[in-house]
Amino acid sequence: MQDTIIQLKALGQMPDSLTGNPAGELVSKYDELLIKVKTPLTEEEVEALIGIFPESTMYEVEWTLLHLVETYLKPELLSKYRNLISKCPSEEWRDTMKVRLDNWEKKNGRHI
């Protein structure tokens, strides 16, 4: 597993900016680490990243996280990806990822 992802996992689930006021330094730390993540990602790395989604939002940093996670999506990994999505601690982001996956499948003519 990439050291950067180990560091993100150690930080834990992103704090939610709607229910709290995470320190700017913490927000910057997540942002800096996410930018350093290299793709392609392994299943283990995606699972670790999915585990850090905030409940709702963290100053848009969660979109960088989503885009990284979505780099794992390939036709041959659909069922694995769907299983990984189910592990997201945030209902909002879990639902968002499911909708985006469903849309991807419709667009690409793939259904599982």
Side-chain angles (χ1 to χ4, degrees):
M1 184 177 295
Q2 296 176 51
D3 184 57
T4 306
I5 295 176
I6 293 169
Q7 291 177 52
L8 285 161
K9 190 175 178 180
L11 285 175
Q13 185 176 7
M14 292 177 175
D16 198 294
S17 61
L18 293 180
T19 58
N21 190 16
E25 291 172 4
L26 182 59
V27 174
S28 293
K29 183 70 174 171
Y30 279 101
D31 194 35
E32 290 167 11
L33 288 170
L34 287 169
I35 290 168
K36 293 179 183 178
V37 172
K38 305 258 189 284
T39 58
L41 299 170
T42 66
E43 183 177 349
E44 180 184 27
E45 290 171 332
V46 172
E47 184 172 355
L49 291 174
I50 282 177
I52 68 169
F53 272 95
E55 285 303 317
S56 182
T57 184
M58 192 180 86
Y59 303 112
E60 305 293 321
V61 175
E62 69 280 2
W63 287 102
T64 303
L65 176 58
L66 176 66
H67 294 139
L68 273 173
V69 166
E70 287 181 334
T71 66
Y72 183 75
L73 181 55
K74 293 174 182 51
E76 64 274 13
L77 299 173
L78 285 175
S79 60
K80 283 184 179 184
Y81 185 66
R82 193 171 293 281
N83 183 53
L84 288 167
I85 289 171
S86 71
K87 298 178 181 187
C88 183
S90 164
E91 182 178 350
E92 181 177 332
W93 283 102
R94 191 171 49 247
D95 290 347
T96 297
M97 286 187 279
K98 285 179 184 177
V99 167
R100 289 170 66 95
L101 176 56
D102 290 344
N103 289 340
W104 183 90
E105 287 180 300
K106 287 175 189 169
K107 177 182 175 190
N108 293 286
R110 306 205 188 268
H111 300 286
I112 59 171

